[in-house]
Amino acid sequence: PHVEEFLTSFLTKNDNSTKVQVVAFDHNVRSNQGAGKTRIKNGGSATVQNPAGLVHADYTKISAPRRLQQLGETTRSINDVRQQWSSMLDSNVVQEALSGKRRFAFVNVWRNIAKEPVQQMPLACIDATTVDTATDLRTFQIHYADRVGENYLCCPSPQHTWCYFPQMTRNEALLLKQWDSSGDVARGNDLDRDVSTMTVHSAFMDPTSLPDAPPRESIEVRCVVIWDERE
């Protein structure tokens, strides 16, 4: 609920007339120490994962609407935040979003959960306007017990502009837009010029990290956002 309130407030702070529904549906805890051994609190059988040192985007043109469709159905996913068997979204609202009557987006809220600032394996992002989806992206599938997901892998390009936020503290949060149905690429273009569709990102080995730097500990909460109407 805290993440949903935070993201709703952020998205509507400049326009009180904007109406959005925000639902948190999944979360991951990551650390480069003890990954795969420690179970996540309230995470079913999920365990702490390593930082993802792979340049990727979380959804594709196929998997983003498919995931939205699934969130309007009965879910069995062990990673869903609420661990419930009923749908997480109203199926009629989902169909309106899939038909283009409503804008929808997937947003990750990423936060350091350690006492110390992030000093190892920070998160870096590519400027969306420098990614050519026609040449830079490759699709790969992830098979779960009850569904098949798709992500994009990103090939290196001298055109890419990278940025990252060093020494992030636990009172800071990074919002990663993983898919936006109003983005230029989502609307059929190869490039995001005006509205970005997704954030290509990766953890990386920061050469300024000290050998004895504390391990990274972070959480990312995956949220779906649906606007009252298409913007």
Side-chain angles (χ1 to χ4, degrees):
H2 295 297
V3 172
E4 294 172 349
E5 292 172 7
F6 165 73
L7 189 52
T8 300
S9 176
F10 178 84
L11 292 171
T12 59
K13 66 179 180 179
N14 294 324
D15 185 359
N16 291 330
S17 65
T18 300
K19 303 297 182 183
V20 298
Q21 177 186 8
V22 177
V23 175
F25 62 89
D26 191 11
H27 72 300
N28 279 329
V29 175
R30 298 185 187 273
S31 175
N32 52 322
Q33 185 177 69
K37 300 177 182 179
T38 306
R39 289 190 181 276
I40 300 175
K41 183 179 181 181
N42 299 325
S45 61
T47 58
V48 173
Q49 300 180 28
N50 277 306
L54 194 66
V55 183
H56 69 286
D58 285 10
Y59 296 97
T60 68
K61 292 180 179 179
I62 300 298
S63 66
R66 179 193 294 161
R67 189 65 175 129
L68 182 66
Q69 178 80 52
Q70 291 167 342
L71 291 173
E73 301 169 349
T74 301
T75 177
R76 296 183 179 181
S77 174
I78 61 172
N79 290 320
D80 283 351
V81 169
R82 288 175 175 77
Q83 296 289 298
Q84 62 187 43
W85 285 83
S86 60
S87 62
M88 305 192 76
L89 296 172
D90 183 285
S91 60
N92 293 324
V93 172
V94 168
Q95 291 306 314
E96 289 180 1
L98 292 174
S99 68
K101 293 181 179 179
R102 294 173 181 254
R103 179 186 182 184
F104 76 89
F106 290 103
V107 179
N108 286 5
V109 180
W110 189 97
R111 176 175 172 250
N112 170 30
I113 55 175
K115 294 180 180 179
E116 304 85 1
V118 174
Q119 300 174 51
Q120 287 193 46
M121 301 298 289
L123 198 64
C125 307
I126 303 179
D127 180 343
T129 63
T130 67
V131 178
D132 186 340
T133 62
T135 58
D136 296 349
L137 302 183
R138 303 291 184 271
T139 302
F140 74 100
Q141 293 185 334
I142 304 174
H143 290 256
Y144 299 94
D146 62 338
R147 59 189 173 88
V148 177
E150 282 188 359
N151 292 20
Y152 282 133
L153 289 179
C154 188
C155 302
S157 168
Q159 302 301 318
H160 293 163
T161 299
W162 284 88
C163 66
Y164 84 107
F165 301 88
Q167 301 285 315
M168 283 190 66
T169 63
R170 64 192 306 177
N171 65 346
E172 297 176 306
L174 184 61
L175 303 184
L176 297 171
K177 184 164 65 168
Q178 300 293 357
W179 191 264
D180 186 346
S181 65
S182 288
D184 296 334
V185 169
R187 289 172 174 262
N189 299 298
D190 291 334
L191 300 171
D192 279 328
R193 294 300 190 191
D194 298 315
V195 179
S196 64
T197 299
M198 57 191 156
T199 305
V200 178
H201 59 286
S202 177
F204 74 100
M205 296 180 67
D206 187 347
T208 67
S209 295
L210 298 176
D212 59 348
R216 177 186 127 184
E217 297 178 4
S218 63
I219 186 171
E220 65 219 41
V221 179
R222 297 189 177 104
C223 301
V224 59
V225 183
I226 300 181
W227 280 258
D228 272 7
E229 58 187 24
R230 174 165 293 280
E231 295 188 342

